[in-house]
Amino acid sequence: LAIVHDIAEALAGDIAPSDGVSKAEKHRLETTALAEMLGRLGTDRGVSREMRQLWEEYEAGETSEARLLKDMDKVEMILQAHEYEEDQPTMQLGEFFQSVEGKLKTQTGRQWADEIARRRAEAQQRRRQQQGEEDSKDSNNNTLLQQQGGFR
């Protein structure tokens, strides 16, 4: 189910909520991509049929497996956003976290997202503390420089 879900994204792209693509357009792009991919499989119609059924199961989100996978897709997105923020501290990707709020359907998905949000909050707090320490050092250096008469 997970692999088949990613097949459509391989051609259509992994469309994020911040991309501004409607749900209907995203579905159309992925359906077209899946049809193209299945067409490449050739004459084995049984495999094509099974892959299409799995993709439709995911899209419908009616089975427990599909709901969990949909949640994990969202969890992976916010984990990646958190990692980008960690690697590039000036990057703020809160819109990715906001796009997931209230949309997770499984307890597992909510627990994992809560853990990522907790770690993100801790990292943001650390960055604020470090920035405060740097600002304090800069202020102290400026005061000392002024007391010494500046940059003569």
Side-chain angles (χ1 to χ4, degrees):
L1 193 61
I3 292 170
V4 172
H5 157 68
D6 283 341
I7 285 175
E9 288 182 355
L11 291 175
D14 191 3
I15 300 167
S18 62
D19 292 336
V21 176
S22 73
K23 193 172 186 175
E25 178 63 7
K26 180 180 179 200
H27 184 77
R28 187 193 68 73
L29 290 169
E30 290 178 351
T31 300
T32 301
L34 181 68
E36 181 181 332
M37 187 68 78
L38 295 179
R40 293 179 184 180
L41 289 175
T43 59
D44 191 345
R45 301 295 177 210
V47 171
S48 294
R49 185 173 32 257
E50 182 180 6
M51 289 178 74
R52 178 170 299 282
Q53 288 170 343
L54 288 168
W55 185 78
E56 288 171 353
E57 176 184 340
Y58 172 83
E59 284 297 302
E62 294 173 353
T63 65
S64 59
E65 292 88 352
R67 286 189 296 274
L68 179 61
L69 183 56
K70 281 181 169 283
D71 279 5
M72 291 300 105
D73 199 43
K74 291 174 181 72
V75 165
E76 187 274 334
M77 177 185 69
I78 63 172
L79 177 59
Q80 193 171 59
H82 172 55
E83 289 172 350
Y84 288 157
E85 288 178 337
E86 284 285 283
D87 290 343
Q88 301 176 39
T90 59
M91 187 177 280
Q92 296 296 313
L93 299 174
E95 69 270 13
F96 288 92
F97 292 86
Q98 292 167 357
S99 73
V100 171
E101 288 178 11
K103 294 185 179 170
L104 298 171
K105 307 290 185 203
T106 66
Q107 182 178 357
T108 301
R110 289 188 294 272
Q111 287 172 335
W112 285 30
D114 286 345
E115 178 62 20
I116 294 166
R118 184 190 65 74
R119 291 179 185 197
R120 180 178 186 243
E122 287 176 356
Q124 289 173 330
Q125 180 64 29
R126 275 193 314 275
R127 283 195 295 276
R128 281 193 293 272
Q129 288 172 343
Q130 290 169 347
Q131 185 61 45
E133 291 169 7
E134 290 173 15
D135 290 347
S136 178
K137 287 177 188 176
D138 288 345
S139 178
N140 290 341
N141 288 340
N142 288 338
T143 301
L144 182 60
L145 186 61
Q146 288 172 348
Q147 290 171 348
Q148 296 174 344
F151 283 106
R152 300 180 212 200

